[in-house]
Amino acid sequence: MNILRSEKNRNTDRRKRALELIEIFVVVTICMVMYFHERGKAVQPGGNTLPALGDHVLFGTYLGEPIEWRVIRTAENGEVVLIAENILTMKAFNAADSGEFNCDDDGNMYWSVNETEADRNMELQAYVRGNSRWADSDLRAWLNSDRENVVYDGIGPVTSAMSAHKNGYASEPGFLNGFTRQEREAIVPTENITNGNALDGGEVSSTDLVYLLSEEELSWLVEADVNIRAKPTAQAIEQDQTAWYQMFSLELGLETYYWWLREPVPDMASNCYVVDIGYKSRLLRGDKAVGLEGYGVRPVVKVDTGRITLLPKESEIDVSEEADTTDMDTLEENSREQ
C-alpha cells in the first residue's frame, strides 16, 4: 500500500509540474505577443524591421537636410508608404504654357473679379493658368527626377509663368537629386489612377516614384493617426519668395499651411484641391489655380524595406557626403469650397 501511495504521489507531482510548465509557457507566450503587439513591428526575412503605422523615419535629404517621413501604409512584403511629416517646399503645381500667368499670346489679360473667357473656355483656362492634370504636371516631373537639369514638357516652371512671378523652379535640381543611389533604388514605382479634369474624358493613369495624395488617400493618414494638417519646414519658409505663409497662416495664429493634392477640381481645367490650413471646418479648398506658386508640397513615396533600413527619427545621419547623382529614368472632405 505504501508503494502504491508513493507512486500515486509521484504521479500527482508530475501532473503538478506539467501544469506549472504549461502555465509558465502560456504566460511567456502572452507576454511575447503583447510585447510585439506594442512594438507594432514585423520582422522581415532579411532581418530588417518593418516600421509600424504612424512611425517617424528618416529617408533622403532635401535642401541639405534629412527628410522626416511618417508611415501611412504597410504591407507583408516589406513595402511601406511614407508621407513627408512637413511641407518641404512651396511650388506651383503646373506652369501656364502661355509663359505669362493669366495672359494669352496676344497680350490679353484674364485678371478680373468677374467671370472672364478663361473661366468659361477650359482650353484657354489651362493654357493661361496651367493644366491641373497630374500626369503631365511640372510638379510631378520635378518630384520624379534625380537630375540636376530636370526635363519638362513645354516651357517648364519658369518664373514668368507663376502668378506673382516668384518661386520658379525650372533650374532647380529634381527632388530625388538629394537621395543616394541606394535610396532611389529602394523606392518602388506606384501605379496611380487620378481623376481627370474638365478636359479629360475620364481617369488618368501614371507611374510614379514620388507623388501626391488623392482626396481618397487622405484616409490613410487617419488610419495611421498622422495629422492631415502640416507645417512647412524652416528650409521651406526660407526658400519661399511669396510670404504667403505669413499672410494666410501666421497672421491667423496658425502654424499649418495649404498643401497640394494631385486631385483636380472636376469641372475646371486649372484648379486642384489643396488641404486647408485649419482656420475653418472645411478640409479641402478647390478654388486655387495650379499656377499659384506659394502653396506647399508634401511628397509621398513607397519604399522597399528589404532594400534599405529606414532609420528612426532620432537617428543622426551624415549629410555631408554629396548624394550620388547617377541618372535615372523619370517614372512616371469633410467639406469643399469650389
Side-chain angles (χ1 to χ4, degrees), residues 169-330:
Y169 55 100
S171 54
E172 181 179 346
F175 176 67
L176 291 175
N177 188 257
F179 289 63
T180 66
R181 179 199 294 268
Q182 182 187 17
E183 289 168 339
R184 294 197 302 268
E185 291 178 347
I187 299 176
V188 180
T190 298
E191 302 290 334
N192 282 315
I193 302 297
T194 305
N195 290 331
N197 62 22
L199 294 175
D200 298 319
E203 296 175 328
V204 179
S205 64
S206 62
T207 303
D208 308 312
L209 291 174
V210 189
Y211 59 101
L212 306 178
L213 289 182
S214 67
E215 178 187 358
E216 183 179 359
E217 290 163 354
L218 286 174
S219 63
W220 297 354
L221 279 72
V222 177
E223 293 165 4
D225 196 24
V226 172
N227 200 339
I228 293 178
R229 316 287 184 186
K231 299 182 293 184
T233 63
Q235 292 77 19
I237 297 171
E238 182 179 356
Q239 181 194 47
D240 177 40
Q241 300 169 353
T242 68
W244 292 0
Y245 176 58
Q246 170 72 37
M247 179 170 55
F248 292 130
S249 288
L250 296 184
E251 289 188 4
L252 293 174
L254 299 171
E255 293 187 326
T256 55
Y257 190 56
Y258 302 107
W259 55 277
W260 293 108
L261 299 180
R262 69 174 194 273
E263 186 96 15
V265 175
D267 57 350
M268 304 292 282
S270 187
N271 289 24
C272 267
Y273 288 112
V274 294
V275 172
D276 210 336
I277 59 177
Y279 182 71
K280 297 182 179 181
S281 61
R282 66 190 177 199
L283 176 60
L284 304 181
R285 291 187 63 163
D287 58 347
K288 299 300 176 187
V290 300
L292 300 186
E293 68 269 42
Y295 292 91
V297 181
R298 200 178 177 189
V300 179
V301 293
K302 182 189 291 184
V303 177
D304 182 354
T305 60
R307 299 179 68 102
I308 196 168
T309 299
L310 295 173
L311 298 174
K313 174 188 173 184
E314 294 75 16
S315 301
E316 294 184 2
I317 5 182
D318 181 8
V319 296
S320 59
E321 183 177 352
E322 185 176 349
D324 183 340
T325 57
T326 303
D327 285 353
M328 181 187 205
D329 291 336
T330 297

Side-chain angles (χ1 to χ4, degrees), residues 19-35:
L19 289 172
E20 289 173 353
L21 289 173
I22 292 172
E23 289 176 355
I24 292 172
F25 175 77
V26 170
V27 170
V28 170
T29 301
I30 291 174
C31 289
M32 291 179 66
V33 169
M34 292 178 65
Y35 172 74

